[in-house]
Amino acid sequence: MVVALLSGAGVTLWITVARPNAALLTGVSIGGSFSLTDASGRAVTDRDFRGKYLLVYFGYTFCPDVCPTTLNQMAGALDTLGARADRIQPLFVTVDPGRDTPAVLLQYTAAFTPRLLGLTGTPEQIAAVAKAYRVYYAEHRTGTAPLDYTMDHSSIIYLMAPDGQFVAPIRADAEASEMAAEIGRIVG
Ligand code: NI
């Protein structure tokens, strides 16, 4: 299985995952501990989410197209999964903590599904969690004013097991039905 790990600014890096349960692959480590702030302003760590599958997606609220499209499909997939989605906590981790405060995230995620929890943090905390998940992001200047920028970022959904281990990447550009099928095969 080949997945797009990194795209943005015309750059796409492909990685090959030999089998769905990539956590079994030696040398591949995705995820790990993190300390962030959730959309209600509460300090959270990875341990707070043990016991649930996680769908972890990195992006930012000002994203013009990729993030909203992905989150829409993800919300649709969770609807399709019905009661099984109760075992899944979807997380939206911002790569733009300067603009994405908890309040901004709360309003943004609610537009897709109330299930989606936005996470932000200090620039250092975001850098650490992005590194743990092998997520690329970079500011892309669009003008001279302070807020004249977009963020290039990886677009991939990580499915994590209830014990915090990485299970599989979910294609972020998949349709909701495809995402639901893929997630359902793992979550049951
Ligand atoms: Ni985006």
Side-chain angles (χ1 to χ4, degrees), residues 57-60 62-68 92 151 153-155:
Y57 186 70
F58 290 75
Y60 69 115
F62 277 69
C63 187
D65 45 27
V66 175
C67 287
F92 179 63
M151 299 297 294
H153 66 92
S154 311
S155 184

Side-chain angles (χ1 to χ4, degrees), residues 5-160:
L5 182 64
L6 160 62
S7 58
V11 179
T12 302
L13 171 71
W14 297 91
I15 59 164
T16 301
V17 178
R19 48 179 139 166
N21 192 347
L24 296 174
L25 297 176
T26 54
V28 175
S29 166
I30 291 174
S33 59
F34 59 75
S35 296
L36 294 167
T37 300
D38 76 11
S40 65
R42 190 174 64 114
V44 295
T45 74
D46 55 295
R47 305 199 67 83
D48 293 314
F49 301 106
R50 290 291 188 275
K52 282 207 165 186
Y53 284 94
L54 300 181
L55 288 172
V56 186
Y57 186 70
F58 290 75
Y60 69 115
T61 66
F62 277 69
C63 187
D65 45 27
V66 175
C67 287
T69 303
T70 301
L71 294 174
N72 252 327
Q73 299 304 322
M74 187 198 279
L78 292 166
D79 282 347
T80 301
L81 287 164
R84 292 184 291 169
D86 292 344
R87 300 165 61 194
I88 304 166
Q89 175 61 61
L91 300 176
F92 179 63
V93 185
T94 184
V95 294
D96 184 12
R99 284 189 293 212
D100 288 342
T101 61
V104 168
L105 282 171
L106 189 61
Q107 191 176 13
Y108 184 74
T109 55
F112 298 98
T113 166
R115 294 178 186 274
L116 182 61
L117 182 63
L119 298 177
T120 186
T122 65
E124 293 76 20
Q125 288 173 323
I126 296 300
V129 68
K131 188 177 178 198
Y133 279 82
R134 312 286 176 113
V135 164
Y136 162 85
Y137 66 101
E139 189 179 290
H140 179 76
R141 300 301 308 181
T142 56
T144 52
L147 294 181
D148 287 347
Y149 66 91
T150 58
M151 299 297 294
D152 297 333
H153 66 92
S154 311
S155 184
I156 185 163
I157 300 167
Y158 299 95
L159 177 58
M160 311 298 288

